[in-house]
Amino acid sequence: MKIPALALCAVLFMASCSSTKTPEANLPKDISERPADENSQKYDQAQLDKMRASIESEILKEKCTDAANWTFSPIGAKACGGPQSYIAYPKDKESEILPKINEYTEKVKAFNQKYGITSDCMMVNEPSGIKCNNGKAELINS
C-alpha cells in the first residue's frame, strides 16, 4: 500500500512542476505585433522614414543615362498643404513606384493631422526638369 501511495505522490509532484508555458511565450513579440506605446509619434515617424527610404532605395537601383526616360512627382505633404519635396524616378518603373509615393504622401498627411504637426508653409517649387549626373537623376530647380 505504501508503494502505490508513494508513486501517486511522486506523479503529482512531477505534474505540479511541469510548465504550462511554451518556450515561445518567453520570447519578445515581433515589433509589428506590439501595441503602440507612449512614444507612438516616434514609432510612426520611424515607419514613415522607413517607407521613404524604401522608395529612394528602389529608385537608386536604376541608373540615369538619359534624362528623357525619367520624370518626377511630389512626395510627402506639409501640414499646411503642398508637397514636402519632389522625387525623380524612371518612367518605366512608374506603375511600381508612383503608388508607393502616393501611399507615403497619404500616410504623411494622416501623420500630420494625427499629431497636429505644423510646418513652415513655404511652397516648394516644382522642378523645371531632370538631368543625369554620374548615373543619378537630379532635379533641376530654376
Side-chain angles (χ1 to χ4, degrees), residues 19-95:
S19 175
T20 57
K21 292 185 178 180
T22 61
E24 296 84 21
N26 295 327
L27 297 174
K29 285 188 174 186
D30 184 276
I31 195 163
S32 65
E33 297 173 350
R34 292 182 187 171
D37 59 7
E38 294 175 51
N39 299 322
S40 61
Q41 184 174 352
K42 286 183 183 180
Y43 176 80
D44 289 349
Q45 182 64 58
Q47 295 303 306
L48 288 172
D49 293 345
K50 184 178 175 181
M51 193 175 194
R52 179 149 184 166
S54 173
I55 293 167
E56 291 172 349
S57 174
E58 188 172 340
I59 292 169
L60 284 174
K61 291 178 186 175
E62 304 295 322
K63 288 207 181 268
C64 182
T65 55
D66 182 1
N69 296 328
W70 288 70
T71 189
F72 58 86
S73 171
I75 187 168
K78 289 193 171 195
C80 52
Q84 290 172 327
S85 61
Y86 287 84
I87 190 167
Y89 62 89
K91 289 179 182 177
D92 64 345
K93 301 287 182 180
E94 185 168 55
S95 63

Side-chain angles (χ1 to χ4, degrees), residues 99-114:
K100 293 176 184 179
I101 292 171
N102 292 334
E103 179 185 6
Y104 171 79
T105 298
E106 290 305 312
K107 288 189 180 222
V108 170
K109 287 179 185 177
F111 176 88
N112 291 343
Q113 187 172 10
K114 179 178 180 180

